[in-house]
mmCIF file of all heavy atoms in Angstrom:
data_model
loop_
_atom_site.group_PDB
_atom_site.id
_atom_site.type_symbol
_atom_site.label_atom_id
_atom_site.label_comp_id
_atom_site.label_asym_id
_atom_site.label_seq_id
_atom_site.Cartn_x
_atom_site.Cartn_y
_atom_site.Cartn_z
ATOM 1 N N LYS A 26 -71.221 -92.038 -23.865
ATOM 2 C CA LYS A 26 -70.513 -91.105 -23.012
ATOM 3 C C LYS A 26 -70.317 -89.772 -23.749
ATOM 4 O O LYS A 26 -70.485 -89.682 -24.966
ATOM 5 C CB LYS A 26 -69.150 -91.671 -22.602
ATOM 6 C CG LYS A 26 -69.230 -92.976 -21.831
ATOM 7 C CD LYS A 26 -69.932 -92.773 -20.498
ATOM 8 C CE LYS A 26 -69.986 -94.069 -19.713
ATOM 9 N NZ LYS A 26 -70.664 -93.884 -18.392
ATOM 10 N N ALA A 27 -69.967 -88.752 -22.997
ATOM 11 C CA ALA A 27 -69.631 -87.452 -23.576
ATOM 12 C C ALA A 27 -68.375 -86.936 -22.884
ATOM 13 O O ALA A 27 -68.164 -87.185 -21.696
ATOM 14 C CB ALA A 27 -70.775 -86.470 -23.404
ATOM 15 N N LEU A 28 -67.552 -86.228 -23.624
ATOM 16 C CA LEU A 28 -66.282 -85.744 -23.083
ATOM 17 C C LEU A 28 -65.959 -84.376 -23.659
ATOM 18 O O LEU A 28 -66.032 -84.163 -24.873
ATOM 19 C CB LEU A 28 -65.152 -86.719 -23.422
ATOM 20 C CG LEU A 28 -63.720 -86.235 -23.130
ATOM 21 C CD1 LEU A 28 -63.513 -86.070 -21.622
ATOM 22 C CD2 LEU A 28 -62.697 -87.206 -23.710
ATOM 23 N N VAL A 29 -65.604 -83.452 -22.778
ATOM 24 C CA VAL A 29 -65.086 -82.150 -23.191
ATOM 25 C C VAL A 29 -63.831 -81.862 -22.381
ATOM 26 O O VAL A 29 -63.851 -81.928 -21.156
ATOM 27 C CB VAL A 29 -66.110 -81.020 -22.971
ATOM 28 C CG1 VAL A 29 -65.466 -79.668 -23.252
ATOM 29 C CG2 VAL A 29 -67.314 -81.210 -23.863
ATOM 30 N N GLU A 30 -62.745 -81.576 -23.068
ATOM 31 C CA GLU A 30 -61.502 -81.185 -22.413
ATOM 32 C C GLU A 30 -61.334 -79.678 -22.545
ATOM 33 O O GLU A 30 -61.415 -79.133 -23.646
ATOM 34 C CB GLU A 30 -60.322 -81.909 -23.049
ATOM 35 C CG GLU A 30 -60.412 -83.423 -22.953
ATOM 36 C CD GLU A 30 -59.204 -84.116 -23.566
ATOM 37 O OE1 GLU A 30 -58.071 -83.794 -23.139
ATOM 38 O OE2 GLU A 30 -59.401 -84.951 -24.463
ATOM 39 N N LEU A 31 -61.100 -79.020 -21.422
ATOM 40 C CA LEU A 31 -60.964 -77.573 -21.454
ATOM 41 C C LEU A 31 -60.047 -77.101 -20.339
ATOM 42 O O LEU A 31 -59.762 -77.837 -19.396
ATOM 43 C CB LEU A 31 -62.332 -76.890 -21.329
ATOM 44 C CG LEU A 31 -63.159 -77.158 -20.075
ATOM 45 C CD1 LEU A 31 -62.801 -76.188 -18.964
ATOM 46 C CD2 LEU A 31 -64.639 -77.084 -20.380
ATOM 47 N N ARG A 32 -59.611 -75.862 -20.454
ATOM 48 C CA ARG A 32 -58.835 -75.203 -19.409
ATOM 49 C C ARG A 32 -59.456 -73.855 -19.124
ATOM 50 O O ARG A 32 -59.686 -73.058 -20.039
ATOM 51 C CB ARG A 32 -57.374 -75.019 -19.836
ATOM 52 C CG ARG A 32 -56.571 -76.306 -19.912
ATOM 53 C CD ARG A 32 -55.133 -76.021 -20.293
ATOM 54 N NE ARG A 32 -54.464 -75.219 -19.267
ATOM 55 C CZ ARG A 32 -53.235 -74.711 -19.418
ATOM 56 N NH1 ARG A 32 -52.581 -74.910 -20.554
ATOM 57 N NH2 ARG A 32 -52.689 -74.011 -18.455
ATOM 58 N N THR A 33 -59.758 -73.597 -17.871
ATOM 59 C CA THR A 33 -60.282 -72.301 -17.499
ATOM 60 C C THR A 33 -59.183 -71.250 -17.644
ATOM 61 O O THR A 33 -58.000 -71.561 -17.482
ATOM 62 C CB THR A 33 -60.800 -72.315 -16.055
ATOM 63 O OG1 THR A 33 -59.713 -72.613 -15.170
ATOM 64 C CG2 THR A 33 -61.889 -73.360 -15.888
ATOM 65 N N PRO A 34 -59.517 -70.017 -17.938
ATOM 66 C CA PRO A 34 -58.486 -68.998 -18.163
ATOM 67 C C PRO A 34 -57.858 -68.507 -16.866
ATOM 68 O O PRO A 34 -58.520 -68.385 -15.835
ATOM 69 C CB PRO A 34 -59.255 -67.878 -18.858
ATOM 70 C CG PRO A 34 -60.658 -68.044 -18.386
ATOM 71 C CD PRO A 34 -60.870 -69.517 -18.215
ATOM 72 N N GLU A 35 -56.554 -68.214 -16.913
ATOM 73 C CA GLU A 35 -55.877 -67.651 -15.755
ATOM 74 C C GLU A 35 -56.136 -66.150 -15.676
ATOM 75 O O GLU A 35 -56.523 -65.519 -16.659
ATOM 76 C CB GLU A 35 -54.378 -67.933 -15.796
ATOM 77 C CG GLU A 35 -53.689 -67.431 -17.030
ATOM 78 C CD GLU A 35 -53.582 -68.470 -18.117
ATOM 79 O OE1 GLU A 35 -54.608 -69.071 -18.498
ATOM 80 O OE2 GLU A 35 -52.459 -68.694 -18.617
ATOM 81 N N THR A 36 -55.900 -65.587 -14.488
ATOM 82 C CA THR A 36 -56.098 -64.155 -14.277
ATOM 83 C C THR A 36 -54.878 -63.551 -13.579
ATOM 84 O O THR A 36 -54.195 -64.224 -12.800
ATOM 85 C CB THR A 36 -57.344 -63.868 -13.430
ATOM 86 O OG1 THR A 36 -57.174 -64.449 -12.123
ATOM 87 C CG2 THR A 36 -58.595 -64.436 -14.076
ATOM 88 N N VAL A 37 -54.630 -62.278 -13.868
ATOM 89 C CA VAL A 37 -53.617 -61.484 -13.185
ATOM 90 C C VAL A 37 -54.278 -60.186 -12.731
ATOM 91 O O VAL A 37 -54.922 -59.504 -13.539
ATOM 92 C CB VAL A 37 -52.412 -61.170 -14.085
ATOM 93 C CG1 VAL A 37 -51.420 -60.269 -13.359
ATOM 94 C CG2 VAL A 37 -51.731 -62.459 -14.538
ATOM 95 N N SER A 38 -54.120 -59.860 -11.446
ATOM 96 C CA SER A 38 -54.730 -58.654 -10.891
ATOM 97 C C SER A 38 -53.659 -57.758 -10.278
ATOM 98 O O SER A 38 -52.753 -58.238 -9.589
ATOM 99 C CB SER A 38 -55.772 -59.002 -9.823
ATOM 100 O OG SER A 38 -56.841 -59.753 -10.359
ATOM 101 N N ILE A 39 -53.794 -56.470 -10.520
ATOM 102 C CA ILE A 39 -52.952 -55.454 -9.891
ATOM 103 C C ILE A 39 -53.873 -54.495 -9.150
ATOM 104 O O ILE A 39 -54.863 -54.008 -9.722
ATOM 105 C CB ILE A 39 -52.113 -54.693 -10.935
ATOM 106 C CG1 ILE A 39 -51.185 -55.663 -11.677
ATOM 107 C CG2 ILE A 39 -51.310 -53.572 -10.286
ATOM 108 C CD1 ILE A 39 -50.416 -55.026 -12.805
ATOM 109 N N ASN A 40 -53.573 -54.245 -7.874
ATOM 110 C CA ASN A 40 -54.479 -53.430 -7.086
ATOM 111 C C ASN A 40 -53.714 -52.528 -6.123
ATOM 112 O O ASN A 40 -52.521 -52.736 -5.854
ATOM 113 C CB ASN A 40 -55.485 -54.306 -6.335
ATOM 114 C CG ASN A 40 -54.899 -55.642 -5.926
ATOM 115 O OD1 ASN A 40 -53.984 -55.691 -5.101
ATOM 116 N ND2 ASN A 40 -55.384 -56.720 -6.541
ATOM 117 N N ALA A 41 -54.422 -51.506 -5.610
ATOM 118 C CA ALA A 41 -53.811 -50.540 -4.706
ATOM 119 C C ALA A 41 -54.841 -50.079 -3.686
ATOM 120 O O ALA A 41 -56.058 -50.083 -3.953
ATOM 121 C CB ALA A 41 -53.270 -49.348 -5.482
ATOM 122 N N PHE A 42 -54.340 -49.685 -2.503
ATOM 123 C CA PHE A 42 -55.195 -49.178 -1.419
ATOM 124 C C PHE A 42 -54.487 -48.006 -0.758
ATOM 125 O O PHE A 42 -53.280 -48.074 -0.482
ATOM 126 C CB PHE A 42 -55.449 -50.287 -0.391
ATOM 127 C CG PHE A 42 -56.237 -49.834 0.810
ATOM 128 C CD1 PHE A 42 -57.619 -49.894 0.806
ATOM 129 C CD2 PHE A 42 -55.595 -49.360 1.946
ATOM 130 C CE1 PHE A 42 -58.347 -49.485 1.903
ATOM 131 C CE2 PHE A 42 -56.307 -48.952 3.051
ATOM 132 C CZ PHE A 42 -57.697 -49.006 3.035
ATOM 133 N N HIS A 43 -55.240 -46.932 -0.507
ATOM 134 C CA HIS A 43 -54.650 -45.757 0.150
ATOM 135 C C HIS A 43 -55.639 -45.185 1.167
ATOM 136 O O HIS A 43 -56.770 -44.822 0.807
ATOM 137 C CB HIS A 43 -54.297 -44.684 -0.877
ATOM 138 C CG HIS A 43 -53.745 -43.428 -0.263
ATOM 139 N ND1 HIS A 43 -52.586 -43.421 0.486
ATOM 140 C CD2 HIS A 43 -54.197 -42.147 -0.274
ATOM 141 C CE1 HIS A 43 -52.348 -42.196 0.906
ATOM 142 N NE2 HIS A 43 -53.314 -41.399 0.457
ATOM 143 N N GLN A 44 -55.221 -45.139 2.426
ATOM 144 C CA GLN A 44 -56.021 -44.526 3.487
ATOM 145 C C GLN A 44 -55.722 -43.027 3.486
ATOM 146 O O GLN A 44 -54.651 -42.578 3.892
ATOM 147 C CB GLN A 44 -55.667 -45.146 4.839
ATOM 148 C CG GLN A 44 -56.569 -44.725 5.977
ATOM 149 C CD GLN A 44 -57.948 -45.353 5.883
ATOM 150 O OE1 GLN A 44 -58.080 -46.553 5.605
ATOM 151 N NE2 GLN A 44 -58.981 -44.539 6.102
ATOM 152 N N MET A 45 -56.690 -42.235 3.016
ATOM 153 C CA MET A 45 -56.459 -40.805 2.844
ATOM 154 C C MET A 45 -56.405 -40.063 4.182
ATOM 155 O O MET A 45 -55.572 -39.187 4.388
ATOM 156 C CB MET A 45 -57.556 -40.213 1.958
ATOM 157 C CG MET A 45 -57.589 -40.805 0.557
ATOM 158 S SD MET A 45 -58.887 -40.081 -0.454
ATOM 159 C CE MET A 45 -58.343 -38.375 -0.532
ATOM 160 N N ASP A 46 -57.318 -40.399 5.071
ATOM 161 C CA ASP A 46 -57.353 -39.789 6.400
ATOM 162 C C ASP A 46 -58.081 -40.746 7.332
ATOM 163 O O ASP A 46 -58.252 -41.926 7.004
ATOM 164 C CB ASP A 46 -58.021 -38.398 6.362
ATOM 165 C CG ASP A 46 -59.413 -38.430 5.723
ATOM 166 O OD1 ASP A 46 -60.135 -39.448 5.881
ATOM 167 O OD2 ASP A 46 -59.788 -37.442 5.062
ATOM 168 N N ASP A 47 -58.533 -40.255 8.460
ATOM 169 C CA ASP A 47 -59.184 -41.130 9.433
ATOM 170 C C ASP A 47 -60.499 -41.700 8.923
ATOM 171 O O ASP A 47 -60.969 -42.723 9.439
ATOM 172 C CB ASP A 47 -59.430 -40.370 10.742
ATOM 173 C CG ASP A 47 -58.136 -40.052 11.471
ATOM 174 O OD1 ASP A 47 -57.132 -40.715 11.167
ATOM 175 O OD2 ASP A 47 -58.145 -39.142 12.327
ATOM 176 N N ARG A 48 -61.098 -41.076 7.925
ATOM 177 C CA ARG A 48 -62.417 -41.515 7.467
ATOM 178 C C ARG A 48 -62.407 -42.121 6.061
ATOM 179 O O ARG A 48 -63.075 -43.109 5.802
ATOM 180 C CB ARG A 48 -63.411 -40.343 7.506
ATOM 181 C CG ARG A 48 -63.743 -39.877 8.926
ATOM 182 C CD ARG A 48 -64.822 -38.797 8.899
ATOM 183 N NE ARG A 48 -65.171 -38.354 10.249
ATOM 184 C CZ ARG A 48 -66.092 -38.925 11.011
ATOM 185 N NH1 ARG A 48 -66.752 -39.974 10.552
ATOM 186 N NH2 ARG A 48 -66.354 -38.470 12.217
ATOM 187 N N TRP A 49 -61.649 -41.539 5.143
ATOM 188 C CA TRP A 49 -61.744 -41.932 3.741
ATOM 189 C C TRP A 49 -60.573 -42.819 3.302
ATOM 190 O O TRP A 49 -59.439 -42.596 3.681
ATOM 191 C CB TRP A 49 -61.765 -40.695 2.845
ATOM 192 C CG TRP A 49 -63.050 -39.922 2.888
ATOM 193 C CD1 TRP A 49 -63.301 -38.813 3.633
ATOM 194 C CD2 TRP A 49 -64.235 -40.198 2.152
ATOM 195 N NE1 TRP A 49 -64.581 -38.370 3.417
ATOM 196 C CE2 TRP A 49 -65.181 -39.216 2.503
ATOM 197 C CE3 TRP A 49 -64.605 -41.185 1.238
ATOM 198 C CZ2 TRP A 49 -66.464 -39.175 1.974
ATOM 199 C CZ3 TRP A 49 -65.887 -41.156 0.700
ATOM 200 C CH2 TRP A 49 -66.799 -40.162 1.067
ATOM 201 N N ALA A 50 -60.921 -43.820 2.473
ATOM 202 C CA ALA A 50 -59.909 -44.668 1.830
ATOM 203 C C ALA A 50 -60.301 -44.862 0.367
ATOM 204 O O ALA A 50 -61.486 -44.991 0.042
ATOM 205 C CB ALA A 50 -59.797 -46.014 2.527
ATOM 206 N N LEU A 51 -59.311 -44.881 -0.504
ATOM 207 C CA LEU A 51 -59.522 -45.123 -1.929
ATOM 208 C C LEU A 51 -58.808 -46.401 -2.339
ATOM 209 O O LEU A 51 -57.767 -46.747 -1.775
ATOM 210 C CB LEU A 51 -58.996 -43.954 -2.764
ATOM 211 C CG LEU A 51 -59.705 -42.605 -2.604
ATOM 212 C CD1 LEU A 51 -59.013 -41.556 -3.468
ATOM 213 C CD2 LEU A 51 -61.176 -42.721 -2.981
ATOM 214 N N MET A 52 -59.358 -47.081 -3.327
ATOM 215 C CA MET A 52 -58.758 -48.337 -3.783
ATOM 216 C C MET A 52 -59.115 -48.578 -5.244
ATOM 217 O O MET A 52 -60.089 -48.020 -5.766
ATOM 218 C CB MET A 52 -59.218 -49.500 -2.909
ATOM 219 C CG MET A 52 -60.720 -49.748 -2.946
ATOM 220 S SD MET A 52 -61.313 -50.612 -1.473
ATOM 221 C CE MET A 52 -61.302 -49.275 -0.273
ATOM 222 N N GLY A 53 -58.320 -49.400 -5.918
ATOM 223 C CA GLY A 53 -58.592 -49.723 -7.308
ATOM 224 C C GLY A 53 -58.000 -51.066 -7.691
ATOM 225 O O GLY A 53 -57.101 -51.588 -7.017
ATOM 226 N N ASP A 54 -58.510 -51.621 -8.774
ATOM 227 C CA ASP A 54 -58.066 -52.950 -9.232
ATOM 228 C C ASP A 54 -58.186 -53.025 -10.752
ATOM 229 O O ASP A 54 -59.158 -52.539 -11.344
ATOM 230 C CB ASP A 54 -58.923 -54.051 -8.595
ATOM 231 C CG ASP A 54 -58.518 -55.437 -9.053
ATOM 232 O OD1 ASP A 54 -59.022 -55.876 -10.111
ATOM 233 O OD2 ASP A 54 -57.722 -56.076 -8.364
#
């Protein structure tokens, strides 16, 4: 048999969205 014990890394995300006008929107993460 073969065995590997592991934990995948956690993530934290901070993001923003802004509708500038009827056509354009900007966003980031």
Side-chain angles (χ1 to χ4, degrees):
K26 300 296 181 180
L28 170 66
V29 173
E30 300 181 55
L31 60 87
R32 290 182 64 187
T33 62
E35 57 266 53
T36 63
V37 177
S38 298
I39 299 175
N40 33 66
F42 176 89
H43 177 61
Q44 188 72 44
M45 298 180 63
D46 54 34
D47 291 341
R48 292 185 179 272
W49 287 98
L51 294 178
M52 62 203 76
D54 179 274

